[in-house]
Amino acid sequence: QVQLQESGPGLVKPSQAPSLTCTVSGCSITTNGYYWSWIRQPPGKGLEWIGYIAYSGSTYYIPSLKSRTAISRDTSTNQFTLHVKSVTPEDTAVYYCAGGPPQTSVQAMSEYDYWGQGTQVTVSS
């Protein structure tokens, strides 16, 4: 049984650089063909895909967030981490990690089999 669990700072101040970690159990993040993504949902809005780190370690980010985000991984602990720079109140959202072997599009959230429960990040002074 594959399970994902997010952990994050909760409340951060504008301009800070928080990190959120997703701990994966039941499946190695290096499993061939698997992609591990971060997705967020701002209050009152839809889901927004942020980026992924692939089983190979390669990464990709949505262009609008590319300059402020990075995803890294620790294969020894089977975790992957989202790093966000210079946050503003517009980054306030529930952040989800998701994973699986997408069949047609890595950016199609419906193709991810496994999701965490989400962690709230609020940016406020």
Side-chain angles (χ1 to χ4, degrees):
Q1 181 180 3
V2 180
Q3 293 183 320
L4 283 70
Q5 180 66 57
E6 306 92 345
S7 59
L11 178 64
V12 297
K13 297 185 183 299
S15 81
Q16 289 187 331
S19 296
L20 290 79
T21 295
C22 183
T23 301
V24 181
S25 60
C27 178
S28 170
I29 60 174
T30 61
T31 299
N32 191 39
Y34 276 59
Y35 290 76
W36 306 93
S37 286
W38 282 98
I39 296 151
R40 69 182 183 180
Q41 185 168 29
K45 297 184 179 181
L47 293 170
E48 178 183 37
W49 183 81
I50 298 171
Y52 71 72
I53 185 163
Y55 59 98
S56 61
S58 64
T59 56
Y60 180 83
Y61 311 98
I62 190 171
S64 61
L65 295 173
K66 184 178 181 180
S67 64
R68 297 197 297 119
T69 57
I71 301 175
S72 63
R73 68 179 184 177
D74 185 340
T75 57
S76 67
T77 58
N78 215 39
Q79 296 175 324
F80 62 104
T81 298
L82 173 69
H83 309 274
V84 186
K85 297 188 298 185
S86 303
V87 295
T88 71
E90 286 66 42
D91 293 308
T92 294
V94 177
Y95 285 74
Y96 298 92
C97 58
Q103 300 302 309
T104 58
S105 172
V106 181
Q107 298 186 39
M109 290 174 282
S110 60
E111 301 222 6
Y112 286 93
D113 297 327
Y114 312 110
W115 287 71
Q117 293 184 334
T119 186
Q120 175 71 46
V121 175
T122 301
V123 182
S124 175
S125 55

